[in-house]
Amino acid sequence: MSKLVCVGKVLGAHGVRGDVKIASFMENSEDIIKFGPVYDEKGRQQWTITLGAWHKDHYLARLSGVQTREEGEALRGTKLYIFREKLPKISDEDTFYYTDLIGLDVQLEDGTIYGTIRGIQNYGAGDIVEVFRPQNGNFEGGPEMFSFTKANFPSIHLNEGYVLLTLPEINECENESSD
């Protein structure tokens, strides 16, 4: 099955006729409709989006087949996906889609494999790369988070299957005890 790329999310219902609020994760927010129908995370259910007005940080929209407020509200939190091959091909080797980084090894400058990229998030203050490190031969520990900056990730090597990580300096505060 083809790789799915998350392009948006249903925030909830709007009104009584099945309209929904949709957050677009596209660089140009209106591009959420540019690549055809969107799918659920399994690629089974599909909807065609009809965009309405932009409202604050989301669109008011219609999803095909959604007729009532209850149906729209039932989709609250549903992430919307397109198939990766629908996105334009990239010819510049310094340009990439974040989805292409998922699963790549994270390598230190000395060649040591530090971990694997498991996700890229944005909580409002910039992009954060989630790196899972092997523990006891598997990746059972939680992620380490790094700002996705040129200082932390000076080079991306998609064809070779890794990104280079320069570990940031950590300044630890000493506990001062008062005797």
Side-chain angles (χ1 to χ4, degrees), residues 38-54:
V38 293
Y39 298 83
D40 66 359
E41 67 182 306
K42 302 228 186 269
R44 294 184 186 141
Q45 189 169 2
Q46 83 173 42
W47 303 273
T48 299
I49 300 174
T50 303
L51 293 179
W54 178 258

Side-chain angles (χ1 to χ4, degrees), residues 109-126:
E109 292 175 357
D110 67 2
T112 303
I113 300 298
Y114 188 78
T116 302
I117 295 177
R118 292 292 172 101
I120 300 176
Q121 308 299 328
N122 188 315
Y123 301 107

Side-chain angles (χ1 to χ4, degrees), residues 30-93:
E30 67 276 2
D31 284 351
I32 195 166
I33 63 169
K34 184 176 181 178
F35 303 102
V38 293
Y39 298 83
D40 66 359
E41 67 182 306
K42 302 228 186 269
R44 294 184 186 141
Q45 189 169 2
Q46 83 173 42
W47 303 273
T48 299
I49 300 174
T50 303
L51 293 179
W54 178 258
H55 184 70
K56 297 181 184 176
D57 59 351
H58 62 272
Y59 280 105
L60 302 179
R62 300 277 305 170
L63 294 176
S64 59
V66 178
Q67 303 294 323
T68 67
R69 177 177 183 80
E70 292 75 22
E71 290 172 335
E73 194 57 39
L75 293 173
R76 177 187 295 268
T78 300
K79 291 182 178 176
L80 305 172
Y81 296 83
I82 62 172
F83 289 103
R84 170 65 175 86
E85 62 266 11
K86 293 277 189 176
L87 294 171
K89 301 280 185 232
I90 297 175
S91 57
D92 180 6
E93 68 181 52

Side-chain angles (χ1 to χ4, degrees), residues 8-29:
K9 181 178 178 179
V10 178
L11 301 176
H14 176 80
V16 296
R17 293 193 173 103
D19 290 351
V20 293
K21 298 180 273 188
I22 293 180
S24 173
F25 301 156
M26 304 295 285
E27 185 174 13
N28 298 311
S29 58

Side-chain angles (χ1 to χ4, degrees), residues 3-6 81 84 96-106 115-122 127-132 148 153 156-158 161-163:
K3 190 173 191 177
L4 292 169
V5 178
C6 186
Y81 296 83
R84 170 65 175 86
F96 49 85
Y97 292 114
Y98 281 1
T99 191
D100 295 334
L101 301 180
I102 308 300
L104 292 184
D105 286 336
V106 177
T116 302
I117 295 177
R118 292 292 172 101
I120 300 176
Q121 308 299 328
N122 188 315
D127 295 321
I128 304 293
V129 178
E130 295 178 354
V131 177
F132 278 75
F148 193 28
F153 297 95
I156 310 292
H157 303 270
L158 281 177
Y162 75 95
V163 300

